[in-house]
Each structure stands twice: as C-alpha cells, then as structure tokens.
Amino acid sequence: MTPSRIAITPVTAVTCDESFQVIPDAAIHLEDGAITYVGPAADAPEFTPHETFGGPHLVAMPGLVNTHCHAAMTLLRGYADDMALEEWLQTKIWPFEGGLDAEDIHWGTQLAVAEMLQNGVTTFADMYFQHRRATEGLTASGIRALPSAAVIGVFPDVPGQVAEARAWAREMKGAGEGRVLPSIAPHSLYTCDRDAWTAVIEAVEEVEVPIQTHASETRFEVEEVRRQWGATPIQALDELGALEHHLIAAHCVHLDERDMEIMARPSRGGSAVRVAHNPTSNCKLASGVAPVPELRRRGVDVGLATDGVASNNRLDVWGEMRLAALIHKAVSFDPTEADADAVLRMATLGGAEVLGLGDRVGSLEVGKRGDVILVDFDKPHLHPLHNVVSHLVYAVDARDVETVVVDGRPLFHRGEFRTVDVEQAKAEVQRRARSLARKAEASAG
Amino acid sequence: MTPSRIAITPVTAVTCDESFQVIPDAAIHLEDGAITYVGPAADAPEFTPHETFGGPHLVAMPGLVNTHCHAAMTLLRGYADDMALEEWLQTKIWPFEGGLDAEDIHWGTQLAVAEMLQNGVTTFADMYFQHRRATEGLTASGIRALPSAAVIGVFPDVPGQVAEARAWAREMKGAGEGRVLPSIAPHSLYTCDRDAWTAVIEAVEEVEVPIQTHASETRFEVEEVRRQWGATPIQALDELGALEHHLIAAHCVHLDERDMEIMARPSRGGSAVRVAHNPTSNCKLASGVAPVPELRRRGVDVGLATDGVASNNRLDVWGEMRLAALIHKAVSFDPTEADADAVLRMATLGGAEVLGLGDRVGSLEVGKRGDVILVDFDKPHLHPLHNVVSHLVYAVDARDVETVVVDGRPLFHRGEFRTVDVEQAKAEVQRRARSLARKAEASAG
C-alpha cells in the first residue's frame, strides 16, 4: 500500500466543518488513512511522516464531493450539444450508448476518475449500467465512490436487474477498504414502474444501501409522472415508502410547495430527500434552475454535482460551485443568495451528508478519513488574497489543484497520477469513442 | 523587438472567420506581426522562421477578446462578495477605490494583463481612472487594448476631465505600434449629465475614438435614467446623438422593444450600439440576464466581457463563454440557444467587431494581425475529441492555454511571461491591496 503517516504542512487549512475555520500556518497529520491532527503547526504533536506535502502558498481543504455522475459518459464528451432534448437523446445519445460494452464503460470510468482526481474531487456518486467491471477499476484507483447497480424499467428483465443489484450490493459492502459503497439506482419514476420500485425498495431494505435516482428534472418528466402515478415525482416516492430509506435524488428542479415539505422531513440522520444539485446540466439541457437556496433554508441536504459529461462537458466541481454561486443570484435578483460559505459547504460537507458520509469525510476534523486536497494560491489570478473562502468559490479553478489525498493515500501530485494510468485511459477512450461514434452514425442513419 | 517571422505548426487551426473552418495539420505563418499564411501545412510556402510553436495536440485559434473590463480592480479580488448592491458599493467598493493612487492602478493593471495573457486574452477594453500611468504599463506589455479616459459626472471638474480625455486620446492614437487604441469613457447616463455627454460627444467627433459606457445594467439604473432623462438609457443615448459614433455599451440587460430596434440600426460599419455582454458580472450582482440571443438575431454586435474583478472574480473569457452558453439556455428553456459556434464567435471575431477591430483581429485570416493562441488538447478533460469547437466552448479552460502571441510577438509560453514581471506584479498588488483594505476599513468604520 502506501506510506501510512502523511504530514501536510505548512498550509492554510480551511476546515469546512461546522465552525468553518481558516487556520493559517497549519499542520494536518494523517495516520493509517485518518486525520489525527488539524491545527496550528506550532501546536502539533511530534510526528514522523513517511511523506510530507505542503508549502507556504498552499491551502488545504477537504476533497470535493460530486454527488451525481454518469462517469463513463466521458466517452460522449462533445459528441452532441445544443440540441433539442428529444432529438439529442434519440438521434445521438441513445444510439451511441446502445453500442457500449463493459470495457468501454470501464475505460470511460477510468478517464472520469483521472479527470475528477486532477480536479480535486475525492468522492463521487456514480450511476450507469455495466457497473461490475467499471467498479473494479474505480476501486483500484483509490478514489472514494458510491457506484450503483442501475435498474432501468425500459430495459429487459427488471426482476433480474433488481436481483443482480441486490447480489452485487451485498458483495460490495466494505469493498476498497471501505471507500467503495454500493447503492442501487432505479433510473426514475417515468422509466421504472411500481413493480420495479417495489422490488428495489425491498432490496435496499434487506441490504441497507442508498437509493440513487433522478427526480423532477424537467417539466416534461413531472407531467409524465403525474400522468403515470397521479402524483409529482417526490410525492410518488413518498407514497412508495422510498423516503424511509436513504434516497439521493438528482436535479429536483421543478418542485411544488408540498414536494418541498416532504423533502425537508427528517429521515435517517438527514432530510427525506437528499439533493444532488447539477447547475451546469440543468442549464445546458435547459431544464431550469433548481430552487436550491429555498431548499437549504428548509433544511434539505444539498450537494453539488456534475451529472454526466454529455450534459456538462466536464467533471469539475469548481465549475459547479461557481455556477451555483452565480445562477441563484441571477434568477432571484438577490446578490446575497448562494454566498461563498454556503456554496463551499455544498461542495464538501454538504455533499458528504447527501451521500451519507458526513461522519467520515467532507471536512478536516480529527477522526475523519484523510480526504484532503491542496490548492496552490501562488497564481496571478489568486492575488491579492483578501479572503480565502471567496477565492475558493469565485477565483480558484481546477488548474490550481496541486495534491489530492484520499483515505490518507496520495493519488495525484503536481500533474502526476499515482494509481490511474491516464495515458492508457486517454488512448483507450479516444479509440473507443471514435469507433462508437461511427457505429452510432451507421445505426442512426 | 522580437523575432519577426514565427511559424505555428503542426496545429489544428480553428479560423473563427466567416467560414468557421477547422483545419487539421495546419500551419500559420506570421511575418512582421501579420498573418501571411493559414492553411494545410502541406500547402504552406517556404518559410524560415526565427521561432516555431505548435505540436500535434495543439489547437490554434484567434486570441480571446474581452470587451469590457476595469483592469486595476484586481486589487479588490475577493474583498467583498455576496452583498446587497448599495451596501457593497457604499461600505466596501467606494471606500477602497477612494484610496487608490496612480501606482496602485498601474500595478493592478499589470496583474490584470498577466492574468489575461495567461488566460489567452489578447485584446481588452479597459475603463478606469488614472489612465495615463496604467496605459504606459499595458502598452509595454505588448497586449492589444482599448484603454479609456474616464469621465465621471460625480467627480469634480467635468470640463477638465473631458479636456484631459481629448488631449490624451489625441496623443495616444497609434501608440504601441497601433496595438493601443484610446477611447473616452463617460461612466453612464445616471452619473454623467447632459453637459458632460455633450462635451464627450464633441470630443470624440474631433479625435475620432470610440465611446465606452455602461447602459441598462440594472432595473434601478433604467428607472433612474428615466427619471433624469425621461427616456431609457439607449433612447437617451440616441437622442444625444451618441449612436452616430462608435459606441460600446457594457451590460444592456434591461431593454425594451424600442431599445433593441435602435441598437440594431447600422452605424459606422457595425450596429448602433455594440454590446459588451458580461454574463458573470450580471449574475454575481444579480442584475439579470441580458437578452443576448435576441440581440444577435436582430443583428446587434455582441462580444463577451469579464467586467472588473470585484464582480467576477476573474478575468477569464473561457468562463464567460461557458456561462453564456449555459445561462441563455436555462432562462429560455431552449437548449439550442447560444450554441457553441455563436459563443465562440462572440469571444473572438464578435468581440473584435464590438471594439472596431474586426478588420484587424478576431480570426485567423491572411492580412490580419498575428493574435494567435495555442490550446493544449492532450489533457484528460479534453478526451475524447469528437468536436473541436464544442471542446473550446464547453470543456477547455484557462489552464489549457499553452502559448499566446499578440501582433506576432510571443508574450506567454508554457507558464512563462516574456514581457510582464508577474512576480513583481503579484507582490506589489498583494502589498498595496492589504494597505488599501486597512485604509478603507478605517474610513468606513
């Protein structure tokens, strides 16, 4: 494995815990993957590290959390943009996805993991098909993840899909030294019927894993679910009993008053619906703008997310932070909405809470796992320094990430990946994407 | 000076001219600052360069154009965010700006020039006070710019300000081997009265330089101008005769039907009002979202802009491209709005046209000046490559800029600045910003 004792010093530490401290001249100690000290370097206990990171211009913070992603869709980056939704899906996305095999999805996921690590993302929730092979690769990479077994009602053999999801979730519990947490992902209420949902809920009751799904993303979806279920997506989930489990819902753009009341209800140490907010994807697909400031005021847990690359086209939580900070101000005509503290929280501890990991990661606190990133502030675009948190939300971008440590293990440092073969991932994805595009065009034509 | 013959090959060239060609395996030749060849490398004429740039994974495109900026406001980066507009201005921005002297503004501008070059911006329009010293510095940097002499009605001695603006504009014509084009910048219709505007218009009539101003940025401004002038800002500018000159208006968020008709009228080789669209600033200050797709359909010239760092907090036209592509889709519920071609055009040739430089820069065409940037596509987040233009708008960011050439002169290459002393700029800005913040807090407190 890896050096079991890591020192990070000197740094400015932004804890992102409840007290949201900014500690200058700090030290952070990681032992056997856990944080054993965070505080002023002058007060740090004796420590003999195997490896030391840090420097006077570096800011340490918890790794970013990406609460909703379809990692393998890196294969589709830039394949089709700026199209009406139905045309885009039917003539471009679905024909391309129809050609994907498990190796394509594995390599697409490997590239996604490399991109996320480089961008300072240390935890992500994933939702895609052919999950077994892809999960092997991401487990090996050392990143923290919630992969899922998808259940898609429009695909054949839904009972078989649920049985596979249940078996796989049971096998995976505790995988990757606890870094990889299985979940089950019924696609949505408009693509999975009552039988499918009932079977999924039985499965998660038994294996005790989170549910990931999409809810209330578009106006069309809400209308369609009303037609099929006689209720909004959130209300249908409530009636199903799905909200008695840990449920992560991506999007939640189109909500009514009753939806928001249901979502805010306490459930299993969080809110009844935990929201993966995807500002870029919601804009790019013209879905609308989720009422995130209102949800947060009501106590709903909200994290940030990139969604898949086809609707983004990046896996960059810095970009999601910035857009979240901007768009909620624009649509409310209120410049105090989505302030820097709130946004940074959504990208770190808030995201961890959405994924049920709030007691393990998301902040720099003794006893939590060692998911730490270092950001280099010695750049023209980060001068002068009036306020560290403002810079993290409004001025830093992915290029400023110097070092990424997950579970006490350095995975990325100064442009070098320590676990992912990024050159192979780039080459495989380039070759496979080209061939998949040719096949898709032949099948669409 | 510099090597007078530069070859850029091999590259993929994205011309951004009317035909919007993407030329693989291309070569670009620059001689004495001008483009003498763009096309397939195989067809290129014999050429003996002094210096060669390029590589198989590099994409060459015209440098980005930033049509509205207050460069020296880098000093305020992160000084105050997320506040109600009046409180922000009165308790933070104005007290800070009240302490600025010419050296502060010079160093703030130097840092802005470094940041913009690093981000691939080769041309920018600037609007700030103490323009003489700052303009000397930016002229020396080699960047292309439209600095301006400000006229601010709420400052003392408006006739003196206009006289200075006129004298300086006359002196500056042709400065920096033609790269630096003076303009006059009456701040707005709510801060400059009829006498001030009339004097400015007389001055630009005489010295033939563009006018830069702010118009229709906020609802408050439109109401205030209606009260003072009995007309909307655009209609007041029209009545003044300002639109018979080359007028660059920043923002143009709150417009009525008559405003848009006036703006689209032909005038001096462009539209009567040429718009600097500032998507980030308009979001961050909660001004709203400018109706840019509609303006472009009507034939109004629109370029992208960062505004000053206090309302951004970056000088990054990649970010403005991405936000423009996203926000117009979100607010219209139409994913075909602001497509990648349209957005890339606003950042290049469209921006050049707004600034009156459409015949000199903004595209890679023989006879134009050699403002070329190289973007490194050999990155995880730029794989696979289905579509170069999609990547330039949705996936590339500032970290991918490898080389920046302005007027045939390489100013930035692989992290190194050739003309700006970036270490000194960072240190001066840090020191001055800290002292200015202390002064501002003392004066506000």
Side-chain angles (χ1 to χ4, degrees), chain A residues 74-79 81-85 96 111 114-115 118-119 219 254 279-289 312-314 316 319-320 322-323 325-327 329-341 378-387 390-391 394-399 417 422-423 426-427 429-430 433-434 437, chain B residues 74-79 81-85 96 111 114-115 118-119 219 254 279-289 312-314 316 319-320 322-323 325-327 329-341 378-387 390-391 394-399 417 422-423 426-427 429-430 433-434 437:
Chain A
T74 50
L75 287 155
L76 287 92
R77 193 191 320 266
Y79 177 58
D81 311 286
D82 307 322
M83 293 171 70
L85 190 66
F96 191 106
L111 185 69
E115 182 182 355
Q118 177 177 268
N119 292 351
R219 286 177 181 163
H254 299 279
T280 296
S281 170
N282 295 158
C283 287
K284 187 163 183 247
L285 302 182
S287 308
V289 178
N312 191 306
N313 302 350
R314 302 203 286 220
D316 174 5
E320 303 309 319
R322 191 169 158 89
L323 183 57
L326 294 173
I327 199 160
K329 293 174 172 67
V331 298
S332 66
F333 291 100
D334 181 352
T336 70
E337 286 283 37
D339 66 31
D341 281 10
D378 188 22
K379 305 282 185 80
H381 62 281
L382 300 177
H383 277 72
L385 179 58
H386 289 293
N387 181 321
S390 166
H391 273 16
Y394 289 113
V396 164
D397 60 33
R399 65 181 146 180
F417 294 89
V422 68
E423 292 308 319
K426 280 158 42 182
V429 166
Q430 181 64 39
R434 204 160 276 183
Chain B
T74 50
L75 288 154
L76 286 93
R77 192 189 324 263
Y79 177 58
D81 312 287
D82 306 322
M83 293 171 71
L85 190 65
F96 191 107
L111 185 70
E115 182 182 354
Q118 177 177 270
N119 292 350
R219 287 177 182 163
H254 298 281
T280 297
S281 171
N282 296 157
C283 287
K284 187 163 184 249
L285 302 182
S287 308
V289 178
N312 191 307
N313 302 348
R314 301 204 285 220
D316 174 5
E320 303 308 320
R322 189 168 160 89
L323 184 56
L326 294 173
I327 200 159
K329 293 174 171 65
V331 298
S332 66
F333 291 98
D334 181 351
T336 70
E337 287 284 37
D339 66 30
D341 281 10
D378 188 22
K379 304 283 184 80
H381 63 281
L382 300 177
H383 278 72
L385 179 58
H386 289 293
N387 180 321
S390 166
H391 273 15
Y394 288 113
V396 165
D397 60 33
R399 65 181 146 181
F417 294 89
V422 69
E423 293 307 319
K426 279 158 44 183
V429 165
Q430 182 63 38
R434 205 160 276 184

Side-chain angles (χ1 to χ4, degrees), chain B residues 240-379:
Chain B
L240 278 164
L243 307 188
E244 286 155 39
H245 303 279
H246 174 187
L247 184 127
I248 304 158
H251 304 302
C252 300
V253 175
H254 298 281
L255 304 172
D256 66 19
E257 175 61 31
R258 177 90 190 103
D259 290 341
M260 290 196 271
E261 283 168 15
I262 292 169
M263 292 168 75
R265 240 172 27 210
S267 171
R268 296 189 175 233
S271 56
V273 174
R274 309 197 196 183
V275 176
H277 174 37
N278 300 260
T280 297
S281 171
N282 296 157
C283 287
K284 187 163 184 249
L285 302 182
S287 308
V289 178
V292 160
E294 178 61 22
L295 290 172
R296 293 186 79 248
R297 275 190 286 274
R298 290 168 184 246
V300 177
D301 295 317
V302 183
L304 291 178
T306 59
D307 205 350
V309 156
S311 55
N312 191 307
N313 302 348
R314 301 204 285 220
L315 301 172
D316 174 5
V317 173
W318 303 103
E320 303 308 320
M321 274 202 264
R322 189 168 160 89
L323 184 56
L326 294 173
I327 200 159
H328 298 295
K329 293 174 171 65
V331 298
S332 66
F333 291 98
D334 181 351
T336 70
E337 287 284 37
D339 66 30
D341 281 10
V343 167
L344 184 56
R345 194 189 151 89
M346 284 195 282
T348 54
L349 187 56
E353 288 166 348
V354 165
L355 302 185
L357 296 170
D359 57 343
R360 290 175 70 76
V361 297
S363 58
L364 302 183
E365 292 180 88
V366 170
K368 283 200 169 180
R369 303 304 299 170
D371 292 11
V372 186
I373 65 175
L374 299 185
V375 181
D376 181 1
F377 270 47
D378 188 22
K379 304 283 184 80

